[in-house]
Amino acid sequence: MAESWVNSAERIGADLHLEISGAGAGGRRAALTRALREAVRSGRLMPGTRLPPYRSLAADLGVARNTVADAYAELVAEGWLTARQGSGTRVAERAEPLGTGTRVPKKAPPRARGPRHDLRQGTPDASSFPRAAWLASYRRALQQAPSEVFGPGDPAGRAELRAALAAYLARARGVRADPERIVVCSGFAHALRLLFTGPDAVLRGPLAVESYGLGFHRELLSGASVRTVPLPLDEDGARIGQLDRERAVLLTPAHQFPTGGPLHPSRRAAVIDWARARGGLVLEDDYDGEFRYDRKPVGAVQGLDPERVVYIGSVSKSLSPALRLGWMVLPERYVDGVLAAKGEREAWVSVLDQLTLADFVACGSYDRHVRRMRQRYRRRRDRLVDALATHAPQVEVTGIAAGLHAVLRLPSGTEASVLKAAAWQRVALEGLTGFRHPQATTAAPDGLVVGYATPAEHAYGAALDALCGLLPPG
């Protein structure tokens, strides 16, 4: 009996679905030839795919070995397949018209070439991910995990991770965190969705935001029908005194994004006073608070009043955005609402990743990694400052006391031309104007937001040379 499913996984690691039942004219060989040709033509068998050996495919289909050999030979002659000693029979790597008057589907066009140098903000050096230490934590977590880990879990997140985070955040960031008030999420954007989206949203607008920030976050909030009101910035951070009837305010108080600088102590106290007086809420985005270089770390605003602040953090800057691991430390009154928004089954972070991070923090590997990267990024920042002092002394560098990026102030009217030249030279850069709230009323200075953490270590020097070559002359 002819089979339509070919299972040769134990021999070549691949399954084939071939319809050869009802062979019709030409018998089994012709039916197999047609089925294989159609699989290639339709794209189900991609160029380079290795086909089963004659004997394996013949046994799976219940046909003679010579039937398969003849079908393969015919398709090799037509150019659909290739056969080489030691490599087996594979789908041909070609997209030209074949002898049958049909074509092998063309491969997707190659993507445009990526940047030669990537100096965009927001991404740590991917080559510095602590693979060995992370793997050791993963193995320990997997070996010690109870069986219930592999069943339905707690939407708040694993208790092991929440306990580890509570201890770490209290010690390193001054957060007053009870594990029962921590909800694990996949990052800051996920936290915003949990707080603001859905018919039973935990929070509603209007929401005050700093006049410079990520456009993606503003778009997410706008999609949830949340009106954002820009707060002007000055050298002391957001101008808290201009808060009015907003229900909440979103701040980056440890290191304003992207302009740099912490929120002044008097304004940290003022925003808590505003929240208490108005029944408002502060959303604290602590996106890179661990990376301080020239002064003592600035503790979290949440420590001033845990019932008036939602503290949000993640590992996207300290470890990798690929992990999709973040957390919220919530006032008690919001915990149930956030858990209801998260749901019983969906929008969870991988439990094994949670257990791995819990071990990674508890055993001290996280602290060691942060200290190591703090030193590396400080050296990179210093190299950037030195290169600009030598090759572009007319450019002012700001926001460099912390974080993974710096702001380069440019002469008025030059930002667009620099970005155009960067695109031509395949240097990935972002302009300061692109982070400005569209309703901001203050003047928008020209500038670049340069991520000095993104390039790999071996490529950083060349990236700096390329950057300096783009800057306007003094």
PDB file of all heavy atoms in Angstrom, residues 5-16 49-53 56 60:
ATOM      1  N   TRP A   5       2.813   9.642   3.964  1.00  0.00           N
ATOM      2  CA  TRP A   5       3.710  10.275   4.949  1.00  0.00           C
ATOM      3  C   TRP A   5       4.997   9.494   5.009  1.00  0.00           C
ATOM      4  O   TRP A   5       5.006   8.294   5.242  1.00  0.00           O
ATOM      5  CB  TRP A   5       3.050  10.305   6.329  1.00  0.00           C
ATOM      6  CG  TRP A   5       3.935  10.957   7.351  1.00  0.00           C
ATOM      7  CD1 TRP A   5       4.709  10.357   8.268  1.00  0.00           C
ATOM      8  CD2 TRP A   5       4.140  12.351   7.501  1.00  0.00           C
ATOM      9  NE1 TRP A   5       5.394  11.278   9.000  1.00  0.00           N
ATOM     10  CE2 TRP A   5       5.072  12.519   8.556  1.00  0.00           C
ATOM     11  CE3 TRP A   5       3.648  13.490   6.845  1.00  0.00           C
ATOM     12  CZ2 TRP A   5       5.490  13.775   8.978  1.00  0.00           C
ATOM     13  CZ3 TRP A   5       4.071  14.720   7.269  1.00  0.00           C
ATOM     14  CH2 TRP A   5       4.988  14.867   8.322  1.00  0.00           C
ATOM     15  N   VAL A   6       6.110  10.187   4.815  1.00  0.00           N
ATOM     16  CA  VAL A   6       7.411   9.536   4.812  1.00  0.00           C
ATOM     17  C   VAL A   6       8.140   9.943   6.075  1.00  0.00           C
ATOM     18  O   VAL A   6       8.399  11.128   6.284  1.00  0.00           O
ATOM     19  CB  VAL A   6       8.227   9.948   3.569  1.00  0.00           C
ATOM     20  CG1 VAL A   6       9.577   9.280   3.594  1.00  0.00           C
ATOM     21  CG2 VAL A   6       7.469   9.579   2.312  1.00  0.00           C
ATOM     22  N   ASN A   7       8.451   8.993   6.932  1.00  0.00           N
ATOM     23  CA  ASN A   7       9.098   9.287   8.213  1.00  0.00           C
ATOM     24  C   ASN A   7      10.461   8.630   8.234  1.00  0.00           C
ATOM     25  O   ASN A   7      10.578   7.449   8.522  1.00  0.00           O
ATOM     26  CB  ASN A   7       8.248   8.768   9.369  1.00  0.00           C
ATOM     27  CG  ASN A   7       8.833   9.181  10.713  1.00  0.00           C
ATOM     28  OD1 ASN A   7       9.932   9.691  10.767  1.00  0.00           O
ATOM     29  ND2 ASN A   7       8.088   8.944  11.773  1.00  0.00           N
ATOM     30  N   SER A   8      11.474   9.400   7.879  1.00  0.00           N
ATOM     31  CA  SER A   8      12.840   8.905   7.914  1.00  0.00           C
ATOM     32  C   SER A   8      13.660   9.653   8.944  1.00  0.00           C
ATOM     33  O   SER A   8      14.862   9.786   8.818  1.00  0.00           O
ATOM     34  CB  SER A   8      13.495   9.042   6.529  1.00  0.00           C
ATOM     35  OG  SER A   8      12.811   8.266   5.574  1.00  0.00           O
ATOM     36  N   ALA A   9      12.990  10.181   9.965  1.00  0.00           N
ATOM     37  CA  ALA A   9      13.672  11.040  10.940  1.00  0.00           C
ATOM     38  C   ALA A   9      14.807  10.319  11.636  1.00  0.00           C
ATOM     39  O   ALA A   9      15.846  10.911  11.922  1.00  0.00           O
ATOM     40  CB  ALA A   9      12.669  11.562  11.969  1.00  0.00           C
ATOM     41  N   GLU A  10      14.606   9.013  11.907  1.00  0.00           N
ATOM     42  CA  GLU A  10      15.649   8.325  12.639  1.00  0.00           C
ATOM     43  C   GLU A  10      16.891   8.103  11.788  1.00  0.00           C
ATOM     44  O   GLU A  10      17.954   7.809  12.299  1.00  0.00           O
ATOM     45  CB  GLU A  10      15.117   6.976  13.151  1.00  0.00           C
ATOM     46  CG  GLU A  10      14.883   5.936  12.065  1.00  0.00           C
ATOM     47  CD  GLU A  10      13.525   6.129  11.362  1.00  0.00           C
ATOM     48  OE1 GLU A  10      12.863   7.139  11.612  1.00  0.00           O
ATOM     49  OE2 GLU A  10      13.164   5.258  10.550  1.00  0.00           O
ATOM     50  N   ARG A  11      16.760   8.306  10.470  1.00  0.00           N
ATOM     51  CA  ARG A  11      17.914   8.090   9.605  1.00  0.00           C
ATOM     52  C   ARG A  11      18.538   9.385   9.106  1.00  0.00           C
ATOM     53  O   ARG A  11      19.739   9.512   9.032  1.00  0.00           O
ATOM     54  CB  ARG A  11      17.496   7.219   8.404  1.00  0.00           C
ATOM     55  CG  ARG A  11      17.224   5.764   8.803  1.00  0.00           C
ATOM     56  CD  ARG A  11      16.716   4.958   7.626  1.00  0.00           C
ATOM     57  NE  ARG A  11      15.336   5.269   7.304  1.00  0.00           N
ATOM     58  CZ  ARG A  11      14.288   4.656   7.851  1.00  0.00           C
ATOM     59  NH1 ARG A  11      14.473   3.728   8.757  1.00  0.00           N
ATOM     60  NH2 ARG A  11      13.066   4.969   7.502  1.00  0.00           N
ATOM     61  N   ILE A  12      17.710  10.351   8.730  1.00  0.00           N
ATOM     62  CA  ILE A  12      18.271  11.591   8.183  1.00  0.00           C
ATOM     63  C   ILE A  12      17.781  12.837   8.911  1.00  0.00           C
ATOM     64  O   ILE A  12      18.158  13.942   8.568  1.00  0.00           O
ATOM     65  CB  ILE A  12      17.957  11.746   6.683  1.00  0.00           C
ATOM     66  CG1 ILE A  12      16.437  11.906   6.486  1.00  0.00           C
ATOM     67  CG2 ILE A  12      18.496  10.598   5.892  1.00  0.00           C
ATOM     68  CD1 ILE A  12      16.072  12.434   5.138  1.00  0.00           C
ATOM     69  N   GLY A  13      16.894  12.655   9.895  1.00  0.00           N
ATOM     70  CA  GLY A  13      16.434  13.807  10.658  1.00  0.00           C
ATOM     71  C   GLY A  13      15.416  14.639   9.938  1.00  0.00           C
ATOM     72  O   GLY A  13      15.248  15.809  10.229  1.00  0.00           O
ATOM     73  N   ALA A  14      14.667  14.090   8.945  1.00  0.00           N
ATOM     74  CA  ALA A  14      13.682  14.870   8.205  1.00  0.00           C
ATOM     75  C   ALA A  14      12.463  14.022   7.911  1.00  0.00           C
ATOM     76  O   ALA A  14      12.555  12.819   7.697  1.00  0.00           O
ATOM     77  CB  ALA A  14      14.283  15.386   6.888  1.00  0.00           C
ATOM     78  N   ASP A  15      11.281  14.659   7.910  1.00  0.00           N
ATOM     79  CA  ASP A  15      10.037  14.023   7.493  1.00  0.00           C
ATOM     80  C   ASP A  15       9.619  14.628   6.159  1.00  0.00           C
ATOM     81  O   ASP A  15       9.760  15.832   5.939  1.00  0.00           O
ATOM     82  CB  ASP A  15       8.927  14.261   8.517  1.00  0.00           C
ATOM     83  CG  ASP A  15       9.154  13.489   9.808  1.00  0.00           C
ATOM     84  OD1 ASP A  15       9.886  12.488   9.768  1.00  0.00           O
ATOM     85  OD2 ASP A  15       8.595  13.909  10.839  1.00  0.00           O
ATOM     86  N   LEU A  16       9.073  13.780   5.267  1.00  0.00           N
ATOM     87  CA  LEU A  16       8.557  14.252   3.986  1.00  0.00           C
ATOM     88  C   LEU A  16       7.093  13.865   3.872  1.00  0.00           C
ATOM     89  O   LEU A  16       6.692  12.783   4.295  1.00  0.00           O
ATOM     90  CB  LEU A  16       9.319  13.631   2.814  1.00  0.00           C
ATOM     91  CG  LEU A  16      10.823  13.859   2.722  1.00  0.00           C
ATOM     92  CD1 LEU A  16      11.365  13.201   1.458  1.00  0.00           C
ATOM     93  CD2 LEU A  16      11.132  15.333   2.720  1.00  0.00           C
ATOM     94  N   THR A  49      17.900  21.115   0.787  1.00  0.00           N
ATOM     95  CA  THR A  49      17.320  20.071   1.632  1.00  0.00           C
ATOM     96  C   THR A  49      17.837  18.695   1.200  1.00  0.00           C
ATOM     97  O   THR A  49      17.813  18.344   0.019  1.00  0.00           O
ATOM     98  CB  THR A  49      15.789  20.088   1.542  1.00  0.00           C
ATOM     99  OG1 THR A  49      15.310  21.354   1.979  1.00  0.00           O
ATOM    100  CG2 THR A  49      15.180  18.985   2.414  1.00  0.00           C
ATOM    101  N   ARG A  50      18.294  17.912   2.175  1.00  0.00           N
ATOM    102  CA  ARG A  50      18.777  16.562   1.878  1.00  0.00           C
ATOM    103  C   ARG A  50      17.607  15.587   1.872  1.00  0.00           C
ATOM    104  O   ARG A  50      16.793  15.573   2.800  1.00  0.00           O
ATOM    105  CB  ARG A  50      19.805  16.129   2.910  1.00  0.00           C
ATOM    106  CG  ARG A  50      20.412  14.761   2.595  1.00  0.00           C
ATOM    107  CD  ARG A  50      21.461  14.389   3.605  1.00  0.00           C
ATOM    108  NE  ARG A  50      22.036  13.075   3.317  1.00  0.00           N
ATOM    109  CZ  ARG A  50      22.966  12.490   4.042  1.00  0.00           C
ATOM    110  NH1 ARG A  50      23.419  13.094   5.129  1.00  0.00           N
ATOM    111  NH2 ARG A  50      23.435  11.311   3.705  1.00  0.00           N
ATOM    112  N   LEU A  51      17.516  14.761   0.824  1.00  0.00           N
ATOM    113  CA  LEU A  51      16.449  13.775   0.709  1.00  0.00           C
ATOM    114  C   LEU A  51      16.877  12.450   1.330  1.00  0.00           C
ATOM    115  O   LEU A  51      18.064  12.157   1.464  1.00  0.00           O
ATOM    116  CB  LEU A  51      16.084  13.567  -0.762  1.00  0.00           C
ATOM    117  CG  LEU A  51      15.590  14.820  -1.502  1.00  0.00           C
ATOM    118  CD1 LEU A  51      15.188  14.456  -2.919  1.00  0.00           C
ATOM    119  CD2 LEU A  51      14.412  15.442  -0.769  1.00  0.00           C
ATOM    120  N   PRO A  52      15.894  11.596   1.689  1.00  0.00           N
ATOM    121  CA  PRO A  52      16.252  10.299   2.275  1.00  0.00           C
ATOM    122  C   PRO A  52      17.022   9.424   1.298  1.00  0.00           C
ATOM    123  O   PRO A  52      16.844   9.530   0.071  1.00  0.00           O
ATOM    124  CB  PRO A  52      14.892   9.682   2.601  1.00  0.00           C
ATOM    125  CG  PRO A  52      13.923  10.824   2.610  1.00  0.00           C
ATOM    126  CD  PRO A  52      14.450  11.815   1.632  1.00  0.00           C
ATOM    127  N   PRO A  53      17.864   8.529   1.789  1.00  0.00           N
ATOM    128  CA  PRO A  53      18.528   7.562   0.911  1.00  0.00           C
ATOM    129  C   PRO A  53      17.493   6.677   0.197  1.00  0.00           C
ATOM    130  O   PRO A  53      16.358   6.541   0.656  1.00  0.00           O
ATOM    131  CB  PRO A  53      19.395   6.740   1.867  1.00  0.00           C
ATOM    132  CG  PRO A  53      19.543   7.596   3.088  1.00  0.00           C
ATOM    133  CD  PRO A  53      18.304   8.398   3.189  1.00  0.00           C
ATOM    134  N   SER A  56      15.836   3.949   2.401  1.00  0.00           N
ATOM    135  CA  SER A  56      14.943   4.459   3.439  1.00  0.00           C
ATOM    136  C   SER A  56      13.614   4.910   2.844  1.00  0.00           C
ATOM    137  O   SER A  56      12.530   4.578   3.347  1.00  0.00           O
ATOM    138  CB  SER A  56      15.593   5.633   4.162  1.00  0.00           C
ATOM    139  OG  SER A  56      16.779   5.238   4.797  1.00  0.00           O
ATOM    140  N   ASP A  60       9.806   3.313   3.398  1.00  0.00           N
ATOM    141  CA  ASP A  60       8.712   4.112   3.919  1.00  0.00           C
ATOM    142  C   ASP A  60       7.507   4.112   2.990  1.00  0.00           C
ATOM    143  O   ASP A  60       6.358   4.111   3.440  1.00  0.00           O
ATOM    144  CB  ASP A  60       9.174   5.548   4.149  1.00  0.00           C
ATOM    145  CG  ASP A  60      10.084   5.675   5.371  1.00  0.00           C
ATOM    146  OD1 ASP A  60      10.000   4.814   6.261  1.00  0.00           O
ATOM    147  OD2 ASP A  60      10.872   6.629   5.412  1.00  0.00           O
TER     148      ASP A  60
END
